[in-house]
């Protein structure tokens, strides 16, 4: 592809490159540059890609796309105002605008994104629509699962993934859209048929700094979609939708919305309710427990309606969908009289949700095992402790992806949240030992909730990920 074709749609501020140059590929990592590539120098938050222009040229880059012209003479370059947006545009051009060939659905919010995407994918595929999925657990092209490093990939990888989905015959893509992805323009230029907003609670303030900035990042999705399906009961929804030109469908388990729930029944292995829309009433059952699943399911039903799928059809599919991995997932404990659950809860709100759910059906104690991630928002750590202590009968405070921080320092940030609660707890820094301890001390009818890891099968220490699957830990110890 010629350089001028790759740059279609971009405003070029200045250039020292021949626009007829043939470009073999695109890279934004100088270590991955191959001969003939266009190197995109991203201005990062920790590292400035412009520093690596010499390395990219030494590896055979044909030209550089940048915000600041190279200091060295003779380097063929193209200067633009925003290299992150430029990377997204060049990615779409390179792969032939694959998102335009499919119906795009984006789901954003603090909690519930993964469950929402999986349930919506099931509804679409029950109609015979081959569907791509992009999210926290994994990426999927129909039934084929692909590993994922982050909730929403960098823009060029995202466009490549879209192209794989298009070429495999996908008609729809359902994807989690993180606040980082929106703010960092990873989804720049992608037009969504439907955008779904689940909720907004404290998370990622290490990056966004304030809840207002966090909300405003999420709001970007609804500046680029046709219909927004939003949680009417969330206090951040008015700010989120302010200035949005898309159509809006509201949902809420509390009423006062276009789509609402009545006659809710909460069980140990499911939720059931009547979905009400105007004069229409449809019974719904989903095989995931927890009051929070009512709003999650309403969001799914609302998105399906926006795609032209009747409530009755969606409800019939949802009743058959199995559990989502890492979301209130039961771990087999044969021969034991206690229960072990795994859940991805890693924010104060999600901890409250899952522990309240368990508290509602546990015959014995609710035992919460949790930690907080390193190199992330420190202000939520005592809040996590207080949230868990306010519901659980016993806490095991441990490690969860410490990254470059000392686990003991992270735990020290959690413990002030337990002060004055009266909830008994044990601190065991090693997470495997903590799981063993919880199993050793569980009694009849107790439910141990392993919080924070969910679908993850690793522990991130320093800059490395070490294999650690809590399902395996439980099975091996038994």
């Amino acid at each position: 592809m010629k350089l001028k074709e790759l740059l279609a749609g971009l405003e070029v501020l200045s250039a020292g490159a021949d626009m007829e140059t043939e470009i073999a590929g695109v890279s934004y990592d100088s270590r991955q540059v191959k001969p003939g590539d266009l190197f995109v120098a991203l201005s990062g938050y920790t590292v400035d890609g412009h520093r690596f222009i010499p390395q990219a040229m030494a590896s055979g880059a044909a030209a550089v796309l940048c915000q600041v012209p190279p200091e060295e003479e003779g380097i063929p370059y193209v200067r633009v105002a925003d290299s992150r947006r430029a990377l997204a545009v060049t990615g779409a051009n390179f792969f032939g605008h694959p998102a335009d060939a499919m119906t795009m659905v984006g789901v954003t919010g603090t909690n519930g994104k993964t469950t929402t995407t999986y349930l919506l994918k099931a509804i679409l595929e029950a109609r015979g629509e081959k569907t791509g999925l992009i999210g926290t657990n994994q990426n999927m092209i129909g039934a084929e699962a692909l590993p994922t490093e982050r909730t929403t990939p960098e823009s060029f990888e995202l466009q490549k993934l879209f192209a794989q989905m298009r070429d495999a015959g996908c008609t729809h893509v359902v994807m989690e859209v993180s606040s980082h992805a929106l703010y960092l323009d990873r989804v720049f230029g992608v037009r969504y048929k439907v955008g779904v907003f689940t909720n907004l609670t404290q998370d990622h303030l290490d990056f966004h700094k304030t809840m207002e900035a966090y909300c405003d990042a999420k709001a970007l999705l609804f500046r680029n979609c046709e219909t927004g399906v939003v949680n009417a009961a969330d206090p951040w929804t008015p700010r989120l939708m302010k200035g949005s030109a898309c159509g809006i469908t509201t949902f809420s388990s509390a009423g006062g919305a276009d789509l609402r729930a009545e006659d809710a029944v909460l069980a140990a292995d499911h939720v059931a309710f009547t979905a009400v829309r105007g004069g229409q009433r449809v019974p719904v059952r989903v095989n995931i427990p927890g009051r929070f699943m009512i709003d999650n399911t309403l969001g799914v039903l609302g998105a399906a309606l926006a795609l032209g799928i009747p409530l009755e059809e969606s409800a019939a599919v949802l009743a058959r969908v199995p559990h989502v991995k890492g979301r209130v997932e039961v771990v087999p404990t044969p021969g034991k009289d206690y229960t072990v659950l795994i859940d991805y809860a890693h924010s104060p709100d999600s901890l409250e949700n899952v522990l309240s759910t368990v508290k509602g059906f546990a015959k014995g104690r609710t035992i919460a095992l949790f930690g907080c991630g390193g190199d992330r928002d420190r202000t939520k750590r005592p809040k996590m402790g207080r949230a868990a202590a306010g519901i659980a009968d016993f806490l095991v405070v441990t490690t969860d992806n410490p990254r470059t921080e000392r686990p003991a320092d992270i735990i020290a940030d959690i413990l002030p949240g337990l002060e004055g609660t009266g909830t008994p707890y044990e601190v065991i820094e090693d997470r495997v030992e903590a799981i063993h301890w919880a199993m050793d001390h569980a009694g009849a009818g107790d439910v141990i909730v392993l919080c924070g890891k969910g679908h993850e099968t690793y522990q991130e220490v320093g800059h490395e990920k070490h294999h650690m699957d809590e399902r395996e830990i439980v099975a091996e110890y038994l």
Side-chain angles (χ1 to χ4, degrees):
M1 177 178 282
K2 293 185 183 298
L3 181 58
K4 65 179 180 182
E5 297 170 336
L6 196 59
L7 302 177
L10 285 175
E11 181 184 0
V12 175
L13 301 180
S14 63
D18 182 355
M19 293 298 173
E20 297 296 320
T21 301
E22 286 290 338
I23 301 296
V26 177
S27 179
Y28 56 90
D29 184 337
S30 61
R31 297 165 298 183
Q32 305 296 324
V33 170
K34 297 180 178 60
D37 280 0
L38 174 69
F39 175 63
V40 183
L42 299 180
S43 295
Y45 286 84
T46 55
V47 178
D48 186 352
H50 291 78
R51 289 171 43 197
F52 302 101
I53 289 175
Q55 290 92 315
M57 296 307 300
S59 296
V64 172
L65 185 62
C66 54
Q67 291 177 208
V68 180
E71 296 179 359
E72 298 81 358
E73 292 289 334
I75 292 180
Y77 75 92
V78 177
R79 185 169 70 91
V80 294
D82 189 324
S83 54
R84 283 195 171 275
R85 291 191 172 186
L87 179 64
V89 172
T90 56
N93 289 338
F94 189 81
F95 292 107
H97 297 271
D100 294 347
M102 300 175 289
T103 300
M104 307 296 295
V105 180
V107 181
T108 198
T110 307
N111 303 313
K113 297 187 296 296
T114 298
T115 301
T116 299
T117 55
Y118 272 79
L119 295 180
L120 193 52
K121 181 178 188 287
I123 291 171
L124 288 165
E125 293 193 330
R127 315 190 101 213
E129 305 285 1
K130 188 170 184 178
T131 303
L133 181 142
I134 299 172
T136 307
N137 276 17
Q138 61 187 354
N139 300 326
M140 300 185 73
I141 301 177
E144 179 188 0
L146 307 172
T148 181
E149 285 293 318
R150 49 165 67 113
T151 299
T152 313
E154 187 55 82
S155 59
F156 193 79
E157 278 73 28
L158 186 62
Q159 293 293 338
K160 180 179 180 180
L161 188 55
F162 287 158
Q164 291 175 284
M165 292 173 173
R166 175 199 61 197
D167 296 345
C170 289
T171 58
H172 293 70
V173 175
V174 182
M175 63 180 293
E176 298 179 46
V177 188
S178 68
S179 58
H180 290 72
L182 289 158
Y183 185 82
L184 297 174
D185 288 319
R186 293 176 192 158
V187 293
F188 180 77
V190 179
R191 181 71 179 171
Y192 294 92
K193 176 76 173 177
V194 181
V196 181
F197 170 62
T198 59
N199 50 56
L200 196 76
T201 62
Q202 183 174 339
D203 205 5
H204 304 306
L205 295 193
D206 54 304
F207 182 83
H208 296 291
K209 308 305 180 187
T210 67
M211 286 296 293
E212 287 75 14
Y214 182 30
C215 178
D216 293 346
K218 297 284 191 188
L220 294 173
L221 175 64
F222 301 94
R223 306 298 184 269
N224 205 29
C225 72
E226 292 182 24
T227 301
V229 178
V230 299
N231 187 344
D234 193 282
W236 290 97
T237 294
R239 182 184 181 104
L240 183 93
M241 300 307 294
K242 186 178 180 180
S244 174
C246 67
I248 301 174
T249 296
T250 59
F251 65 87
S252 174
S253 59
D258 300 322
L259 183 61
R260 61 188 190 277
E262 295 181 0
D263 309 321
V265 175
L266 306 178
D269 61 350
H270 73 278
V271 296
F273 61 89
T274 301
V276 181
R277 177 174 177 258
Q280 188 180 18
R281 301 177 64 86
V282 176
V284 178
R285 173 183 167 130
V286 182
N287 300 313
I288 304 174
R291 182 172 293 278
F292 60 93
M293 273 307 301
I294 300 175
D295 277 327
N296 285 348
T297 306
L298 288 172
V300 171
L301 294 171
L305 282 168
L307 294 171
I309 305 172
L311 278 177
E312 298 93 333
E313 183 178 331
S314 296
V317 177
L318 292 179
R320 303 192 301 266
V321 176
H323 222 88
V324 177
K325 184 178 181 180
R327 272 60 179 178
V328 202
E329 176 187 348
V330 177
V331 181
T333 52
K336 296 297 180 181
D337 52 9
Y338 57 78
T339 301
V340 177
L341 300 177
I342 289 177
D343 193 84
Y344 191 49
H346 61 285
S347 68
D349 182 67
S350 57
L351 263 182
E352 289 180 0
N353 284 337
V354 69
L355 295 178
S356 295
T357 296
V358 173
K359 190 81 168 177
F361 64 75
K363 294 181 173 62
R365 296 176 302 166
T366 297
I367 301 171
L369 184 149
F370 74 102
C372 291
D375 302 335
R376 299 293 186 268
D377 180 13
R378 290 185 61 184
T379 67
K380 78 175 184 180
R381 293 173 185 173
K383 295 177 182 178
M384 293 265 293
R386 184 155 297 270
I391 300 170
D393 301 298
F394 195 95
L395 307 177
V396 182
V397 184
T398 187
T399 301
D400 184 350
N401 291 337
R403 301 184 177 91
T404 65
E405 288 193 67
R406 291 177 64 243
D409 293 340
I410 299 172
I411 291 171
D413 286 341
I414 296 171
L415 295 182
L418 309 185
E419 293 176 1
T421 65
T423 304
Y425 66 91
E426 187 80 15
V427 174
I428 303 174
E429 188 174 301
D430 184 281
R431 192 171 178 107
V432 175
E433 290 180 13
I435 293 171
H436 293 171
W437 190 95
M439 293 169 68
D440 286 341
H441 291 80
D446 288 352
V447 180
I448 303 169
V449 190
L450 308 180
C451 305
K453 303 301 291 179
H455 61 283
E456 293 178 354
T457 56
Y458 60 83
Q459 182 84 299
E460 191 171 351
V461 181
H463 297 290
E464 294 184 6
K465 291 180 178 178
H466 304 270
H467 180 77
M468 191 184 78
D469 188 329
E470 295 185 327
R471 299 154 194 82
E472 295 174 3
I473 292 168
V474 171
E476 289 169 0
Y477 197 58
L478 290 176

